Amino acid sequence: MSHLNVDLGGRPGLDCRGFCSYCYFKHVQGTTSFGCKYCLPFQKGCDYCTRGVREGYTGFKSLRTVADETLANLQVMSDDVDRITISGGGDPSCYPEFRDLIELLGSMEVPLHIGYTSGKGFDDPGIADHLIENGLAEVSYTIFAADPDLRRRWMHDPTPEASLAVLERLCGAIDAYAAAVVIPGANDGEILEATCAWLEDRGAKGLILMRFANRIDQGLILGNAPIIEGQQVHTVDEFHDLVTRLNEQFSMKISGTPLGDPSIGSPFAILHEPDLLKKLPRVRGHATVITGSIAAPFIQRVLSIRGYRSRVVRVRKEIACLITAEDLAGVNLSKLEDVVIIPGRAFVHDVEARRILSADGVDREVVRGPDTLTADAETSMGMTRIEVLEKEMEGFAALINTINQYGR
């Protein structure tokens, strides 16, 4: 069975009825190429690390274009489609031909998923029944707060009552997952507890909490920090404690990113499974692993259990896949082995990474590791614990095999 992705295009801030106050794409500057694993060896910059990371689409695609692309993708699939996911740089709820799109995709009689929507484009609560009747099976719906006045203020939702009514109807009929960026002093505390209660009473499958990021080290790499001048931000530990407490307080699943998924024990749930850890390959080579500041201690523990005697080096950037050349430039080169493994999705050109990490005169070999080692809350929300553990086993086996293949 295959998964079909339907990309509507669209531009953040323009094809979503305006930026939310906390949107990560606000104030994005320039079109600098970061470099990434998709770049050609002799050229820094490609469509992914120049335009894609900024979701720099030219606007929503026409319904005809979406239909043609969908047909073309279906023709090259060898298996039957068992799921269709609607996504894009803009908000699907704001797509001009949204009703027709849903009818078109619904005619395929395959479960529909909306990967993300703020609901800001829903002015008529009746759209919920239209979605259900045409096969919508799952949605990730940004709520921010169950208080319409807060949605109006922080999300700039012109019809928050209608948006919440749509979510309420979907909660009672399909797998509806809510999402909320948590901003201290805005929608946390008693307001957040009231939002959780509202969702649970209406039958939501879960709530994904996202810690608000306001600094470069927290992941704002597009020249747009801070998003909100002077805004307080939760520390990683504070946020993890908040997610854990709420998950214990309510019966629906509540998880958070960057940490964590208390119901599953992820990220890095494998640390609680000694029998699975024993099944990972032994580390035989010597190589330095570079990663983000949040994942570093977890990765060090897993690898050390399997015989790793080198160091996992953390950079200031919290999230590994958002590491850039500037992060690598801050690494203490005297602590590195002759072989260095960087995250597979790091936004650094391979040639530049080698130049930076060999600046002390030691010609180091720089290798990319796996794209992922675990599942963050946005991914694990729809997964079982076994599925998360399988993903972690696969990721760490790949990392250890990379160390053994290239390590000295």
Side-chain angles (χ1 to χ4, degrees), residues 19-26 116 118 120 142-145 150-151 153-156 179-183 186-187 210 212-214 220 227-228 231:
F19 287 113
C20 296
S21 298
Y22 52 81
C23 181
Y24 296 164
F25 291 99
K26 281 183 68 177
Y116 153 80
S118 70
K120 285 161 62 174
T142 292
I143 185 171
F144 187 76
L150 288 176
R151 275 188 64 98
R153 175 185 170 189
W154 286 90
M155 297 182 66
H156 305 146
V181 174
V182 182
I183 303 176
N187 65 336
M210 294 172 281
F212 175 59
N214 211 30
L220 298 182
I227 300 296
I228 304 175
Q231 174 61 51

PDB file of all heavy atoms in Angstrom, residues 19-26 116 118 120 142-145 150-151 153-156 179-183 186-187 210 212-214 220 227-228 231:
ATOM      1  N   PHE A  19       0.063  36.093   8.815  1.00  0.00           N
ATOM      2  CA  PHE A  19       0.860  35.401   9.822  1.00  0.00           C
ATOM      3  C   PHE A  19       0.158  35.388  11.172  1.00  0.00           C
ATOM      4  O   PHE A  19      -0.416  36.393  11.590  1.00  0.00           O
ATOM      5  CB  PHE A  19       2.212  36.100  10.010  1.00  0.00           C
ATOM      6  CG  PHE A  19       3.176  35.904   8.881  1.00  0.00           C
ATOM      7  CD1 PHE A  19       3.558  36.971   8.081  1.00  0.00           C
ATOM      8  CD2 PHE A  19       3.725  34.655   8.632  1.00  0.00           C
ATOM      9  CE1 PHE A  19       4.464  36.802   7.061  1.00  0.00           C
ATOM     10  CE2 PHE A  19       4.636  34.475   7.599  1.00  0.00           C
ATOM     11  CZ  PHE A  19       5.008  35.551   6.809  1.00  0.00           C
ATOM     12  N   CYS A  20       0.246  34.257  11.868  1.00  0.00           N
ATOM     13  CA  CYS A  20      -0.062  34.255  13.295  1.00  0.00           C
ATOM     14  C   CYS A  20       1.042  35.044  13.998  1.00  0.00           C
ATOM     15  O   CYS A  20       2.158  35.164  13.481  1.00  0.00           O
ATOM     16  CB  CYS A  20      -0.114  32.825  13.837  1.00  0.00           C
ATOM     17  SG  CYS A  20      -1.443  31.813  13.128  1.00  0.00           S
ATOM     18  N   SER A  21       0.778  35.566  15.160  1.00  0.00           N
ATOM     19  CA  SER A  21       1.755  36.401  15.863  1.00  0.00           C
ATOM     20  C   SER A  21       3.050  35.658  16.149  1.00  0.00           C
ATOM     21  O   SER A  21       4.115  36.263  16.235  1.00  0.00           O
ATOM     22  CB  SER A  21       1.172  36.905  17.186  1.00  0.00           C
ATOM     23  OG  SER A  21       0.037  37.712  16.961  1.00  0.00           O
ATOM     24  N   TYR A  22       2.967  34.338  16.285  1.00  0.00           N
ATOM     25  CA  TYR A  22       4.105  33.528  16.686  1.00  0.00           C
ATOM     26  C   TYR A  22       4.702  32.712  15.540  1.00  0.00           C
ATOM     27  O   TYR A  22       5.561  31.857  15.765  1.00  0.00           O
ATOM     28  CB  TYR A  22       3.678  32.557  17.794  1.00  0.00           C
ATOM     29  CG  TYR A  22       2.443  31.764  17.418  1.00  0.00           C
ATOM     30  CD1 TYR A  22       2.522  30.642  16.608  1.00  0.00           C
ATOM     31  CD2 TYR A  22       1.175  32.163  17.858  1.00  0.00           C
ATOM     32  CE1 TYR A  22       1.395  29.925  16.251  1.00  0.00           C
ATOM     33  CE2 TYR A  22       0.044  31.457  17.501  1.00  0.00           C
ATOM     34  CZ  TYR A  22       0.154  30.349  16.710  1.00  0.00           C
ATOM     35  OH  TYR A  22      -0.963  29.649  16.347  1.00  0.00           O
ATOM     36  N   CYS A  23       4.270  32.945  14.311  1.00  0.00           N
ATOM     37  CA  CYS A  23       4.659  32.088  13.186  1.00  0.00           C
ATOM     38  C   CYS A  23       6.171  32.091  12.957  1.00  0.00           C
ATOM     39  O   CYS A  23       6.805  33.140  12.921  1.00  0.00           O
ATOM     40  CB  CYS A  23       3.944  32.538  11.908  1.00  0.00           C
ATOM     41  SG  CYS A  23       4.337  31.503  10.481  1.00  0.00           S
ATOM     42  N   TYR A  24       6.726  30.905  12.763  1.00  0.00           N
ATOM     43  CA  TYR A  24       8.159  30.752  12.559  1.00  0.00           C
ATOM     44  C   TYR A  24       8.628  31.365  11.242  1.00  0.00           C
ATOM     45  O   TYR A  24       9.832  31.530  11.037  1.00  0.00           O
ATOM     46  CB  TYR A  24       8.554  29.270  12.573  1.00  0.00           C
ATOM     47  CG  TYR A  24       8.313  28.569  13.886  1.00  0.00           C
ATOM     48  CD1 TYR A  24       8.301  27.181  13.958  1.00  0.00           C
ATOM     49  CD2 TYR A  24       8.100  29.277  15.066  1.00  0.00           C
ATOM     50  CE1 TYR A  24       8.088  26.523  15.166  1.00  0.00           C
ATOM     51  CE2 TYR A  24       7.887  28.629  16.273  1.00  0.00           C
ATOM     52  CZ  TYR A  24       7.878  27.254  16.312  1.00  0.00           C
ATOM     53  OH  TYR A  24       7.665  26.612  17.509  1.00  0.00           O
ATOM     54  N   PHE A  25       7.714  31.679  10.349  1.00  0.00           N
ATOM     55  CA  PHE A  25       8.098  32.234   9.054  1.00  0.00           C
ATOM     56  C   PHE A  25       7.955  33.757   8.988  1.00  0.00           C
ATOM     57  O   PHE A  25       8.165  34.350   7.940  1.00  0.00           O
ATOM     58  CB  PHE A  25       7.272  31.580   7.943  1.00  0.00           C
ATOM     59  CG  PHE A  25       7.609  30.134   7.718  1.00  0.00           C
ATOM     60  CD1 PHE A  25       6.829  29.129   8.257  1.00  0.00           C
ATOM     61  CD2 PHE A  25       8.727  29.767   6.994  1.00  0.00           C
ATOM     62  CE1 PHE A  25       7.142  27.791   8.076  1.00  0.00           C
ATOM     63  CE2 PHE A  25       9.059  28.437   6.795  1.00  0.00           C
ATOM     64  CZ  PHE A  25       8.261  27.453   7.336  1.00  0.00           C
ATOM     65  N   LYS A  26       7.602  34.378  10.104  1.00  0.00           N
ATOM     66  CA  LYS A  26       7.530  35.835  10.134  1.00  0.00           C
ATOM     67  C   LYS A  26       8.928  36.435  10.016  1.00  0.00           C
ATOM     68  O   LYS A  26       9.891  35.909  10.562  1.00  0.00           O
ATOM     69  CB  LYS A  26       6.890  36.319  11.447  1.00  0.00           C
ATOM     70  CG  LYS A  26       5.382  36.228  11.489  1.00  0.00           C
ATOM     71  CD  LYS A  26       4.840  36.789  12.798  1.00  0.00           C
ATOM     72  CE  LYS A  26       5.058  38.287  12.893  1.00  0.00           C
ATOM     73  NZ  LYS A  26       4.456  38.840  14.133  1.00  0.00           N
ATOM     74  N   TYR A 116      -1.870  19.576   8.128  1.00  0.00           N
ATOM     75  CA  TYR A 116      -1.889  20.744   9.022  1.00  0.00           C
ATOM     76  C   TYR A 116      -2.923  21.731   8.506  1.00  0.00           C
ATOM     77  O   TYR A 116      -3.039  21.970   7.308  1.00  0.00           O
ATOM     78  CB  TYR A 116      -0.531  21.451   9.059  1.00  0.00           C
ATOM     79  CG  TYR A 116      -0.657  22.930   9.389  1.00  0.00           C
ATOM     80  CD1 TYR A 116      -0.826  23.347  10.705  1.00  0.00           C
ATOM     81  CD2 TYR A 116      -0.683  23.890   8.377  1.00  0.00           C
ATOM     82  CE1 TYR A 116      -1.004  24.689  11.005  1.00  0.00           C
ATOM     83  CE2 TYR A 116      -0.859  25.235   8.670  1.00  0.00           C
ATOM     84  CZ  TYR A 116      -1.014  25.635   9.978  1.00  0.00           C
ATOM     85  OH  TYR A 116      -1.204  26.953  10.287  1.00  0.00           O
ATOM     86  N   SER A 118      -4.773  25.591  10.207  1.00  0.00           N
ATOM     87  CA  SER A 118      -5.102  26.454  11.346  1.00  0.00           C
ATOM     88  C   SER A 118      -6.607  26.614  11.478  1.00  0.00           C
ATOM     89  O   SER A 118      -7.102  27.057  12.509  1.00  0.00           O
ATOM     90  CB  SER A 118      -4.473  27.835  11.156  1.00  0.00           C
ATOM     91  OG  SER A 118      -5.126  28.530  10.094  1.00  0.00           O
ATOM     92  N   LYS A 120      -8.201  28.792   9.914  1.00  0.00           N
ATOM     93  CA  LYS A 120      -8.522  30.217   9.745  1.00  0.00           C
ATOM     94  C   LYS A 120      -9.326  30.495   8.474  1.00  0.00           C
ATOM     95  O   LYS A 120      -9.977  31.531   8.362  1.00  0.00           O
ATOM     96  CB  LYS A 120      -7.228  31.044   9.720  1.00  0.00           C
ATOM     97  CG  LYS A 120      -6.596  31.208  11.084  1.00  0.00           C
ATOM     98  CD  LYS A 120      -5.131  31.599  11.027  1.00  0.00           C
ATOM     99  CE  LYS A 120      -4.896  32.925  10.370  1.00  0.00           C
ATOM    100  NZ  LYS A 120      -3.468  33.341  10.461  1.00  0.00           N
ATOM    101  N   THR A 142      -4.555  23.341  14.323  1.00  0.00           N
ATOM    102  CA  THR A 142      -4.026  24.280  15.310  1.00  0.00           C
ATOM    103  C   THR A 142      -5.162  24.968  16.047  1.00  0.00           C
ATOM    104  O   THR A 142      -6.017  25.599  15.432  1.00  0.00           O
ATOM    105  CB  THR A 142      -3.133  25.336  14.638  1.00  0.00           C
ATOM    106  OG1 THR A 142      -1.954  24.698  14.150  1.00  0.00           O
ATOM    107  CG2 THR A 142      -2.728  26.415  15.631  1.00  0.00           C
ATOM    108  N   ILE A 143      -5.138  24.865  17.373  1.00  0.00           N
ATOM    109  CA  ILE A 143      -6.189  25.485  18.171  1.00  0.00           C
ATOM    110  C   ILE A 143      -5.687  26.722  18.899  1.00  0.00           C
ATOM    111  O   ILE A 143      -6.407  27.686  19.060  1.00  0.00           O
ATOM    112  CB  ILE A 143      -6.784  24.469  19.178  1.00  0.00           C
ATOM    113  CG1 ILE A 143      -7.962  25.091  19.929  1.00  0.00           C
ATOM    114  CG2 ILE A 143      -5.722  23.926  20.123  1.00  0.00           C
ATOM    115  CD1 ILE A 143      -8.745  24.114  20.780  1.00  0.00           C
ATOM    116  N   PHE A 144      -4.454  26.718  19.343  1.00  0.00           N
ATOM    117  CA  PHE A 144      -3.828  27.748  20.168  1.00  0.00           C
ATOM    118  C   PHE A 144      -4.531  27.850  21.520  1.00  0.00           C
ATOM    119  O   PHE A 144      -3.933  27.666  22.561  1.00  0.00           O
ATOM    120  CB  PHE A 144      -3.807  29.112  19.480  1.00  0.00           C
ATOM    121  CG  PHE A 144      -3.010  30.143  20.257  1.00  0.00           C
ATOM    122  CD1 PHE A 144      -1.625  30.104  20.226  1.00  0.00           C
ATOM    123  CD2 PHE A 144      -3.627  31.108  21.019  1.00  0.00           C
ATOM    124  CE1 PHE A 144      -0.871  31.023  20.951  1.00  0.00           C
ATOM    125  CE2 PHE A 144      -2.888  32.029  21.748  1.00  0.00           C
ATOM    126  CZ  PHE A 144      -1.499  31.986  21.717  1.00  0.00           C
ATOM    127  N   ALA A 145      -5.817  28.126  21.481  1.00  0.00           N
ATOM    128  CA  ALA A 145      -6.623  28.163  22.708  1.00  0.00           C
ATOM    129  C   ALA A 145      -8.079  27.966  22.325  1.00  0.00           C
ATOM    130  O   ALA A 145      -8.495  28.294  21.215  1.00  0.00           O
ATOM    131  CB  ALA A 145      -6.446  29.485  23.451  1.00  0.00           C
ATOM    132  N   LEU A 150      -8.751  34.771  22.148  1.00  0.00           N
ATOM    133  CA  LEU A 150      -7.310  34.552  22.056  1.00  0.00           C
ATOM    134  C   LEU A 150      -6.910  34.126  20.651  1.00  0.00           C
ATOM    135  O   LEU A 150      -5.850  34.516  20.146  1.00  0.00           O
ATOM    136  CB  LEU A 150      -6.865  33.510  23.079  1.00  0.00           C
ATOM    137  CG  LEU A 150      -6.879  33.965  24.543  1.00  0.00           C
ATOM    138  CD1 LEU A 150      -6.502  32.822  25.472  1.00  0.00           C
ATOM    139  CD2 LEU A 150      -5.920  35.140  24.737  1.00  0.00           C
ATOM    140  N   ARG A 151      -7.741  33.307  20.018  1.00  0.00           N
ATOM    141  CA  ARG A 151      -7.470  32.961  18.614  1.00  0.00           C
ATOM    142  C   ARG A 151      -7.497  34.208  17.746  1.00  0.00           C
ATOM    143  O   ARG A 151      -6.658  34.381  16.861  1.00  0.00           O
ATOM    144  CB  ARG A 151      -8.517  31.953  18.096  1.00  0.00           C
ATOM    145  CG  ARG A 151      -8.209  30.504  18.392  1.00  0.00           C
ATOM    146  CD  ARG A 151      -9.193  29.588  17.682  1.00  0.00           C
ATOM    147  NE  ARG A 151      -9.110  29.666  16.236  1.00  0.00           N
ATOM    148  CZ  ARG A 151      -8.446  28.807  15.473  1.00  0.00           C
ATOM    149  NH1 ARG A 151      -7.794  27.791  16.015  1.00  0.00           N
ATOM    150  NH2 ARG A 151      -8.432  28.943  14.157  1.00  0.00           N
ATOM    151  N   ARG A 153      -6.861  37.269  18.609  1.00  0.00           N
ATOM    152  CA  ARG A 153      -5.731  38.149  18.911  1.00  0.00           C
ATOM    153  C   ARG A 153      -4.399  37.587  18.428  1.00  0.00           C
ATOM    154  O   ARG A 153      -3.613  38.295  17.792  1.00  0.00           O
ATOM    155  CB  ARG A 153      -5.669  38.402  20.414  1.00  0.00           C
ATOM    156  CG  ARG A 153      -4.446  39.212  20.844  1.00  0.00           C
ATOM    157  CD  ARG A 153      -4.356  39.337  22.353  1.00  0.00           C
ATOM    158  NE  ARG A 153      -3.085  39.910  22.767  1.00  0.00           N
ATOM    159  CZ  ARG A 153      -2.658  39.988  24.020  1.00  0.00           C
ATOM    160  NH1 ARG A 153      -3.441  39.527  25.003  1.00  0.00           N
ATOM    161  NH2 ARG A 153      -1.481  40.518  24.310  1.00  0.00           N
ATOM    162  N   TRP A 154      -4.133  36.311  18.738  1.00  0.00           N
ATOM    163  CA  TRP A 154      -2.824  35.747  18.467  1.00  0.00           C
ATOM    164  C   TRP A 154      -2.706  35.085  17.097  1.00  0.00           C
ATOM    165  O   TRP A 154      -1.627  35.077  16.499  1.00  0.00           O
ATOM    166  CB  TRP A 154      -2.472  34.726  19.547  1.00  0.00           C
ATOM    167  CG  TRP A 154      -2.114  35.378  20.848  1.00  0.00           C
ATOM    168  CD1 TRP A 154      -2.962  35.706  21.869  1.00  0.00           C
ATOM    169  CD2 TRP A 154      -0.822  35.818  21.257  1.00  0.00           C
ATOM    170  NE1 TRP A 154      -2.282  36.310  22.891  1.00  0.00           N
ATOM    171  CE2 TRP A 154      -0.953  36.392  22.547  1.00  0.00           C
ATOM    172  CE3 TRP A 154       0.451  35.780  20.678  1.00  0.00           C
ATOM    173  CZ2 TRP A 154       0.133  36.915  23.254  1.00  0.00           C
ATOM    174  CZ3 TRP A 154       1.526  36.290  21.379  1.00  0.00           C
ATOM    175  CH2 TRP A 154       1.371  36.848  22.647  1.00  0.00           C
ATOM    176  N   MET A 155      -3.813  34.529  16.592  1.00  0.00           N
ATOM    177  CA  MET A 155      -3.781  33.884  15.286  1.00  0.00           C
ATOM    178  C   MET A 155      -4.317  34.786  14.183  1.00  0.00           C
ATOM    179  O   MET A 155      -4.218  34.453  13.005  1.00  0.00           O
ATOM    180  CB  MET A 155      -4.592  32.578  15.328  1.00  0.00           C
ATOM    181  CG  MET A 155      -4.035  31.535  16.272  1.00  0.00           C
ATOM    182  SD  MET A 155      -4.988  29.994  16.255  1.00  0.00           S
ATOM    183  CE  MET A 155      -4.679  29.415  14.589  1.00  0.00           C
ATOM    184  N   HIS A 156      -4.911  35.893  14.565  1.00  0.00           N
ATOM    185  CA  HIS A 156      -5.544  36.812  13.617  1.00  0.00           C
ATOM    186  C   HIS A 156      -6.612  36.094  12.802  1.00  0.00           C
ATOM    187  O   HIS A 156      -6.748  36.301  11.600  1.00  0.00           O
ATOM    188  CB  HIS A 156      -4.494  37.446  12.692  1.00  0.00           C
ATOM    189  CG  HIS A 156      -3.392  38.133  13.449  1.00  0.00           C
ATOM    190  ND1 HIS A 156      -2.087  38.168  13.016  1.00  0.00           N
ATOM    191  CD2 HIS A 156      -3.397  38.786  14.650  1.00  0.00           C
ATOM    192  CE1 HIS A 156      -1.331  38.809  13.892  1.00  0.00           C
ATOM    193  NE2 HIS A 156      -2.119  39.195  14.898  1.00  0.00           N
ATOM    194  N   ALA A 179      -3.226  21.030  17.874  1.00  0.00           N
ATOM    195  CA  ALA A 179      -1.851  21.469  18.065  1.00  0.00           C
ATOM    196  C   ALA A 179      -1.868  22.886  18.608  1.00  0.00           C
ATOM    197  O   ALA A 179      -2.765  23.672  18.289  1.00  0.00           O
ATOM    198  CB  ALA A 179      -1.073  21.412  16.750  1.00  0.00           C
ATOM    199  N   ALA A 180      -0.887  23.193  19.427  1.00  0.00           N
ATOM    200  CA  ALA A 180      -0.811  24.542  19.990  1.00  0.00           C
ATOM    201  C   ALA A 180       0.632  24.913  20.283  1.00  0.00           C
ATOM    202  O   ALA A 180       1.341  24.158  20.953  1.00  0.00           O
ATOM    203  CB  ALA A 180      -1.638  24.645  21.275  1.00  0.00           C
ATOM    204  N   VAL A 181       1.057  26.049  19.755  1.00  0.00           N
ATOM    205  CA  VAL A 181       2.321  26.645  20.173  1.00  0.00           C
ATOM    206  C   VAL A 181       2.068  27.284  21.538  1.00  0.00           C
ATOM    207  O   VAL A 181       1.115  28.050  21.698  1.00  0.00           O
ATOM    208  CB  VAL A 181       2.808  27.698  19.158  1.00  0.00           C
ATOM    209  CG1 VAL A 181       4.044  28.416  19.682  1.00  0.00           C
ATOM    210  CG2 VAL A 181       3.088  27.046  17.811  1.00  0.00           C
ATOM    211  N   VAL A 182       2.904  26.946  22.525  1.00  0.00           N
ATOM    212  CA  VAL A 182       2.668  27.420  23.889  1.00  0.00           C
ATOM    213  C   VAL A 182       3.548  28.642  24.161  1.00  0.00           C
ATOM    214  O   VAL A 182       4.778  28.558  24.105  1.00  0.00           O
ATOM    215  CB  VAL A 182       2.960  26.316  24.917  1.00  0.00           C
ATOM    216  CG1 VAL A 182       2.663  26.827  26.325  1.00  0.00           C
ATOM    217  CG2 VAL A 182       2.114  25.079  24.614  1.00  0.00           C
ATOM    218  N   ILE A 183       2.888  29.753  24.453  1.00  0.00           N
ATOM    219  CA  ILE A 183       3.584  31.009  24.719  1.00  0.00           C
ATOM    220  C   ILE A 183       3.330  31.414  26.163  1.00  0.00           C
ATOM    221  O   ILE A 183       2.171  31.660  26.548  1.00  0.00           O
ATOM    222  CB  ILE A 183       3.097  32.113  23.762  1.00  0.00           C
ATOM    223  CG1 ILE A 183       3.301  31.680  22.305  1.00  0.00           C
ATOM    224  CG2 ILE A 183       3.819  33.424  24.046  1.00  0.00           C
ATOM    225  CD1 ILE A 183       2.769  32.677  21.293  1.00  0.00           C
ATOM    226  N   ALA A 186       0.510  33.841  27.564  1.00  0.00           N
ATOM    227  CA  ALA A 186      -0.520  34.023  26.538  1.00  0.00           C
ATOM    228  C   ALA A 186      -1.551  32.902  26.573  1.00  0.00           C
ATOM    229  O   ALA A 186      -2.750  33.146  26.735  1.00  0.00           O
ATOM    230  CB  ALA A 186       0.120  34.110  25.152  1.00  0.00           C
ATOM    231  N   ASN A 187      -1.088  31.644  26.418  1.00  0.00           N
ATOM    232  CA  ASN A 187      -2.033  30.524  26.377  1.00  0.00           C
ATOM    233  C   ASN A 187      -1.575  29.353  27.226  1.00  0.00           C
ATOM    234  O   ASN A 187      -1.952  28.206  26.984  1.00  0.00           O
ATOM    235  CB  ASN A 187      -2.262  30.056  24.938  1.00  0.00           C
ATOM    236  CG  ASN A 187      -0.997  29.475  24.307  1.00  0.00           C
ATOM    237  OD1 ASN A 187       0.120  29.791  24.707  1.00  0.00           O
ATOM    238  ND2 ASN A 187      -1.180  28.639  23.298  1.00  0.00           N
ATOM    239  N   MET A 210       3.715  22.590  21.176  1.00  0.00           N
ATOM    240  CA  MET A 210       4.979  22.995  20.579  1.00  0.00           C
ATOM    241  C   MET A 210       5.544  24.178  21.343  1.00  0.00           C
ATOM    242  O   MET A 210       4.876  25.202  21.483  1.00  0.00           O
ATOM    243  CB  MET A 210       4.766  23.362  19.100  1.00  0.00           C
ATOM    244  CG  MET A 210       4.359  22.175  18.253  1.00  0.00           C
ATOM    245  SD  MET A 210       3.872  22.618  16.579  1.00  0.00           S
ATOM    246  CE  MET A 210       2.207  23.207  16.893  1.00  0.00           C
ATOM    247  N   PHE A 212       7.294  27.458  22.016  1.00  0.00           N
ATOM    248  CA  PHE A 212       7.566  28.634  21.203  1.00  0.00           C
ATOM    249  C   PHE A 212       9.069  28.861  21.127  1.00  0.00           C
ATOM    250  O   PHE A 212       9.781  28.808  22.123  1.00  0.00           O
ATOM    251  CB  PHE A 212       6.874  29.860  21.811  1.00  0.00           C
ATOM    252  CG  PHE A 212       7.181  31.149  21.107  1.00  0.00           C
ATOM    253  CD1 PHE A 212       6.876  31.307  19.761  1.00  0.00           C
ATOM    254  CD2 PHE A 212       7.786  32.203  21.782  1.00  0.00           C
ATOM    255  CE1 PHE A 212       7.155  32.498  19.100  1.00  0.00           C
ATOM    256  CE2 PHE A 212       8.065  33.391  21.135  1.00  0.00           C
ATOM    257  CZ  PHE A 212       7.747  33.540  19.791  1.00  0.00           C
ATOM    258  N   ALA A 213       9.565  29.077  19.909  1.00  0.00           N
ATOM    259  CA  ALA A 213      10.986  29.359  19.687  1.00  0.00           C
ATOM    260  C   ALA A 213      11.150  30.828  19.326  1.00  0.00           C
ATOM    261  O   ALA A 213      10.385  31.367  18.523  1.00  0.00           O
ATOM    262  CB  ALA A 213      11.541  28.472  18.580  1.00  0.00           C
ATOM    263  N   ASN A 214      12.158  31.465  19.911  1.00  0.00           N
ATOM    264  CA  ASN A 214      12.333  32.901  19.695  1.00  0.00           C
ATOM    265  C   ASN A 214      13.786  33.289  19.457  1.00  0.00           C
ATOM    266  O   ASN A 214      14.083  34.475  19.297  1.00  0.00           O
ATOM    267  CB  ASN A 214      11.799  33.670  20.912  1.00  0.00           C
ATOM    268  CG  ASN A 214      11.233  35.028  20.568  1.00  0.00           C
ATOM    269  OD1 ASN A 214      10.725  35.242  19.466  1.00  0.00           O
ATOM    270  ND2 ASN A 214      11.314  35.960  21.491  1.00  0.00           N
ATOM    271  N   LEU A 220      15.504  29.174  14.930  1.00  0.00           N
ATOM    272  CA  LEU A 220      15.156  30.227  13.971  1.00  0.00           C
ATOM    273  C   LEU A 220      16.381  30.537  13.114  1.00  0.00           C
ATOM    274  O   LEU A 220      17.206  31.391  13.451  1.00  0.00           O
ATOM    275  CB  LEU A 220      14.671  31.482  14.703  1.00  0.00           C
ATOM    276  CG  LEU A 220      13.406  31.302  15.544  1.00  0.00           C
ATOM    277  CD1 LEU A 220      12.999  32.630  16.170  1.00  0.00           C
ATOM    278  CD2 LEU A 220      12.264  30.748  14.719  1.00  0.00           C
ATOM    279  N   ILE A 227      11.037  36.398  16.940  1.00  0.00           N
ATOM    280  CA  ILE A 227       9.703  36.540  16.372  1.00  0.00           C
ATOM    281  C   ILE A 227       8.908  37.584  17.153  1.00  0.00           C
ATOM    282  O   ILE A 227       8.253  38.443  16.577  1.00  0.00           O
ATOM    283  CB  ILE A 227       8.951  35.191  16.399  1.00  0.00           C
ATOM    284  CG1 ILE A 227       9.711  34.132  15.596  1.00  0.00           C
ATOM    285  CG2 ILE A 227       7.531  35.349  15.858  1.00  0.00           C
ATOM    286  CD1 ILE A 227       9.827  34.413  14.127  1.00  0.00           C
ATOM    287  N   ILE A 228       8.979  37.495  18.487  1.00  0.00           N
ATOM    288  CA  ILE A 228       8.295  38.451  19.359  1.00  0.00           C
ATOM    289  C   ILE A 228       9.334  39.044  20.300  1.00  0.00           C
ATOM    290  O   ILE A 228       9.885  38.331  21.157  1.00  0.00           O
ATOM    291  CB  ILE A 228       7.166  37.781  20.171  1.00  0.00           C
ATOM    292  CG1 ILE A 228       6.160  37.089  19.236  1.00  0.00           C
ATOM    293  CG2 ILE A 228       6.454  38.802  21.056  1.00  0.00           C
ATOM    294  CD1 ILE A 228       5.078  36.314  19.975  1.00  0.00           C
ATOM    295  N   GLN A 231       9.782  38.342  24.313  1.00  0.00           N
ATOM    296  CA  GLN A 231       8.866  37.301  24.783  1.00  0.00           C
ATOM    297  C   GLN A 231       9.602  36.202  25.540  1.00  0.00           C
ATOM    298  O   GLN A 231      10.607  35.664  25.076  1.00  0.00           O
ATOM    299  CB  GLN A 231       8.114  36.675  23.602  1.00  0.00           C
ATOM    300  CG  GLN A 231       7.234  35.489  23.950  1.00  0.00           C
ATOM    301  CD  GLN A 231       6.130  35.835  24.927  1.00  0.00           C
ATOM    302  OE1 GLN A 231       5.400  36.783  24.714  1.00  0.00           O
ATOM    303  NE2 GLN A 231       6.017  35.059  26.006  1.00  0.00           N
TER     304      GLN A 231
END
